[in-house]
Amino acid sequence: MASGDGIQIPSRLPLLLTHEGVLLPGSTVRFSVDSPRNMQLVSQRLLKGTSLKSTIIGVIPNTRDPEQDTDDLPSLHKIGTAGIAVQVVGSNWPKPHYTLLITGLCRFSVTSLLKERPFVLAEVEQLDKLEQYMTPASEGVTAEDVELGKLSHKFYQAAVQLLGMLDMSVPVVAKFRRLLDSLPRETLPDVVASMIRTSNKEKLQVLDALSLEERFKKALPMLTRQIEGLKLLQKTRKKSPDNEKTVLSVRKGGVFPGRQFNLDEDEEDEDDDGDDTAALERKLHRAKMPEAALKVCLKELKRLKKMPQSMPEFALTRNYLDLMVELPWSKSTKDCLDIRAARTLLDNDHYAMDKLKRRVLEYLAVRQLKTLLKGPILCFVGPPGVGKTSVGRSIARTLGREFHRIALGGVCDQSDIRGHRRTYVGSMPGRIINGLKTVAVNNPVFLLDEVDKLGKSLQGDPAAALLEVLDPEQNHSFTDHYLNVAFDLSQVLFIATANTTATIPPALLDRMEVLQVPGYTQEEKVEIAHRHLIQNQLEQHGLTPQQLHIPQDTTQNIISSYTREAGVRSLERKLGAICRAVAVKIAEGHTVTKTGALSPENPAQLGDIAAPPEMPIMIDHVALKDILGPPLFEMEVSERLTLPGVAVGLAWTPLGGEILFVEASRMEGEGQLTLTGQLGDVMKESAHLAISWLRANAKTYHLTNMVGGPDPMEGTDIHLHFPAGAVTKDGPSAGVTIVTCLASLFSGRLVRSDVAMTGEITLRGLVLPVGGIKDKVLAAHRAGVKRVILPKRNEKDLVELPANVRADLDFVIAANLDDVLNGAFDGGFPGTAGTHTQPQLSSKL
Ligand code: ADP
């Protein structure tokens, strides 16, 4: 190609007008073109031509604002760069365009335009001689112009200095180093200006500098500025221990901004993607994961690099690696346990529940003394809304740990715990790993909520997976199917909650220490409401005690007439409803309800009073009815005991204690017993036992059939019904109630309307102990019962009851059915020892 008078570019050149940067001789730039003229140029000239000449085009910077660009030709910049299109790639997405890779050859100026369509063709004059790019440095600049020589030397020195500051292991830097010595010095301003960080405007200045001297002068300040910038960066790098980051920023933001990796076409191909994976790789190394996990990740990363982005597996692998980076492999919070502070915190957060709080403190104290304790997992068992979750949260706070709740209710697929294998799009890690990602430390408190509601299905047994999670022998290498590498769970503090232990899988129950959290009494609920709930609800609704006042009376009314629960969850909700209603009133700012109920001053005043409500708004009984509607629960016990054949029992359910009505009626028939109301087998047996015992003792107790015969069952059918049929009832503890109910039916006497009872019976008329005494008695107390009949061997359980409940109730301690009947009927029962006296065994504890 070289000849005496150098290489000539064609005198007629098609021109590419571009907004995308400035091409300088000696550099290679990628241009994306989509304007009609440029598209024509590519399709008609570059893609059709066959000679080398046909690949040479002129690149002219289009200085017009791209937004304003119209079809008519802008006045052209006077100087451009002729270049060889070394690569043309077409694409239709997102719109038709070509990407051209062009290497700049030399400057030219436009002499005249020959045609404007389909693309611009111009008569041009070559400005640089092309040989200068071909001849080595030694034959370059002569000493003719001493000034220029000095300048170019200075420039060379600066370029060497810049290189000295860069990381030679980056290929583009190494290439630059080689080129620096082999290129003629006159080409340096162009080459360097296109490589270092310069704006298009600056590049344009270099392009427009036609004399060499001017070109050096224009480019030198850009080069020195880059050196200064780097020096600054390196200073901060020395201060920061994290070298990697600085290197990254030097590469990314500094010397070689993306597009300008021009020395080598191969380098050009290292696009964002490559950068991304490199960043990901650095992150993986920094995630401090165990060796084995890192190995898996690097293998996945290697696969990722080879994958086209459009492949679904790309996103899958990418997500996986992102998760691996995010997981807290060795990040933890420091435990800060001070038992005294813990006690205060637990006391401040929770009223009552002393037994539970004491046990929790013991647990924490032991943990403090023996940090590596592989102790049992605490499991709080009790009705909803008694503060199980809330205590769990307090434990996390006292330890200074993160808290995360994992709801297990209804989970019946083991991949919920252990994750899905990464074989299909949409596979996910399980809840444990997800939780760890959320809290971002490896020693949180995990509350496994409702372990008693774990299901079982074809997809495997989640309880088995949970066992692995909880087992201290295994959980240091818990393997989630999605992660497919072990994660150490041994630092996690697990706490479980359940409504009942009955449905917790035995193997799981075996690992846990069960702490019962019984329901609250009416008084405890009032205290809880006034110490905690009202305060919280006011805050949540943006109210202050100066705006809303709920007297204790009202709270009591809410508890007895609008809620029937062992915990305080609906109470909390009702209080929330009151806050909302009051917030609306205050926001409206001017109305007092028609009844005037919301104002303490004029509760009975009627009429249209348009004054702002008095502060604080007091919620009295009238206001309560106005806001919550008519009472949901009335005291129903006494009302229902108006016929013979009805008795009140006490039942225990996972939701707390309940009062349970038993109704019986008889009709002519053949001695059959019908039972209704969703009863379990044990309950049915109790009914048969009761009937047998009553028949055997009919004479003693003067029991008769409908026509007064001595066998109560003769010519008679009995129907025994347990209302509230939607709930399955089972267990032996209704025995005494059934006996009492039938004794009432057979004798025609009314059972006392304020008595409730519980106890198992035997064929011989003994009363055996039953469980859940505290919850049952509390339920009786809630329902307004005055006397409770209990098995003798349950007497010891009464100490667990709050003093005020014990004071309010009369307890009849029954060793046999005699005692029961005697206590259940006014004035005793005929035939029993106490017929004519007050019940002897009644005690007031
Ligand atoms: P659970 O987990 O037992 O169903 P929660 O912990 O969710 O119940 O409690 C429901 C609400 O009642 C929470 O707002 C909680 O703070 C409050 N609460 C329950 N028991 C108490 C208590 N003894 N003292 C103060 N607040 C309580």
Side-chain angles (χ1 to χ4, degrees), residues 450-643:
E450 309 200 305
V451 279
D452 55 330
K453 306 229 172 30
L454 277 176
K456 222 179 203 181
S457 73
L458 290 179
Q459 274 75 42
D461 181 0
L466 208 54
L467 260 182
E468 195 183 315
V469 169
L470 297 179
D471 185 354
E473 303 299 326
Q474 291 184 53
N475 72 6
H476 57 267
S477 61
F478 169 71
T479 304
D480 182 281
H481 285 155
Y482 180 84
L483 286 199
N484 211 14
V485 293
F487 193 99
D488 182 0
L489 297 180
S490 59
Q491 300 306 309
V492 180
L493 178 65
F494 290 101
I495 297 175
T497 78
N499 290 147
T500 166
T501 50
T503 50
I504 302 179
L508 207 54
L509 191 59
D510 199 41
R511 297 243 177 282
M512 305 196 283
E513 175 175 343
V514 172
L515 298 185
Q516 294 285 353
V517 193
Y520 298 114
T521 62
Q522 175 109 357
E523 287 68 26
E524 283 173 336
K525 286 185 191 175
V526 173
E527 285 299 322
I528 292 173
H530 284 268
R531 285 170 198 237
H532 301 281
L533 305 181
I534 294 180
Q535 178 88 19
N536 290 348
Q537 288 301 318
L538 285 178
E539 263 165 39
Q540 277 183 26
H541 291 86
L543 296 169
T544 62
Q546 283 75 44
Q547 291 171 313
L548 169 62
H549 180 64
I550 304 179
Q552 296 229 350
D553 243 20
T554 309
T555 316
Q556 237 151 29
N557 198 357
I558 301 174
I559 295 167
S560 56
S561 303
Y562 293 90
T563 67
R564 177 148 294 174
E565 57 174 353
V568 292
R569 198 169 285 164
S570 347
L571 173 60
E572 192 175 30
R573 246 180 264 137
K574 299 288 175 205
L575 291 170
I578 293 173
C579 288
R580 274 194 301 281
V582 170
V584 171
K585 279 276 173 288
I586 288 176
E588 284 172 351
H590 65 275
T591 46
V592 172
T593 50
K594 271 210 157 174
T595 59
L598 288 180
S599 165
E601 257 63 62
N602 52 357
Q605 216 168 337
L606 295 174
D608 301 321
I609 305 158
E614 302 278 337
M615 295 291 170
I617 295 180
M618 174 112 77
I619 305 297
D620 59 8
H621 291 232
V622 187
L624 198 61
K625 216 165 188 169
D626 196 41
I627 297 171
L628 298 181
L632 299 177
F633 303 98
E634 303 280 4
M635 289 292 171
E636 53 184 341
V637 179
S638 48
E639 285 167 26
R640 292 181 75 159
L641 293 173
T642 50
L643 283 174

Side-chain angles (χ1 to χ4, degrees), residues 95-158:
K95 56 181 179 177
H97 71 277
Y98 288 106
T99 306
L100 310 178
L101 198 60
I102 303 175
T103 303
L105 295 172
C106 63
R107 288 174 178 74
F108 67 85
S109 63
V110 178
T111 338
S112 64
L113 278 182
L114 298 176
K115 59 174 186 173
E116 286 189 21
R117 274 167 222 283
F119 51 85
V120 188
L121 191 68
E123 187 85 41
V124 301
E125 185 191 347
Q126 182 171 348
L127 296 176
D128 302 318
K129 277 188 272 167
L130 265 176
E131 295 89 287
Q132 54 187 231
Y133 292 98
M134 313 286 175
T135 45
S138 52
E139 297 168 32
V141 178
T142 59
E144 280 170 31
D145 191 341
V146 185
E147 186 64 22
L148 184 63
K150 273 191 195 157
L151 207 54
S152 83
H153 185 66
K154 207 165 154 192
F155 195 90
Y156 172 77
Q157 296 272 308

Side-chain angles (χ1 to χ4, degrees), residues 346-353 357 380-393 405 447 449-450 497-499 517 520 524 527-529 531-533 536-537 540 567-570 572:
L346 273 175
D347 278 340
N348 286 347
D349 283 0
H350 301 97
Y351 178 77
M353 32 172 55
K357 285 192 284 199
F380 302 147
V381 177
V386 292
K388 301 183 297 293
T389 312
S390 168
V391 169
R393 198 170 267 128
R405 178 173 161 268
L447 186 90
D449 215 0
E450 309 200 305
T497 78
N499 290 147
V517 193
Y520 298 114
E524 283 173 336
E527 285 299 322
I528 292 173
R531 285 170 198 237
H532 301 281
L533 305 181
N536 290 348
Q537 288 301 318
Q540 277 183 26
V568 292
R569 198 169 285 164
S570 347
E572 192 175 30

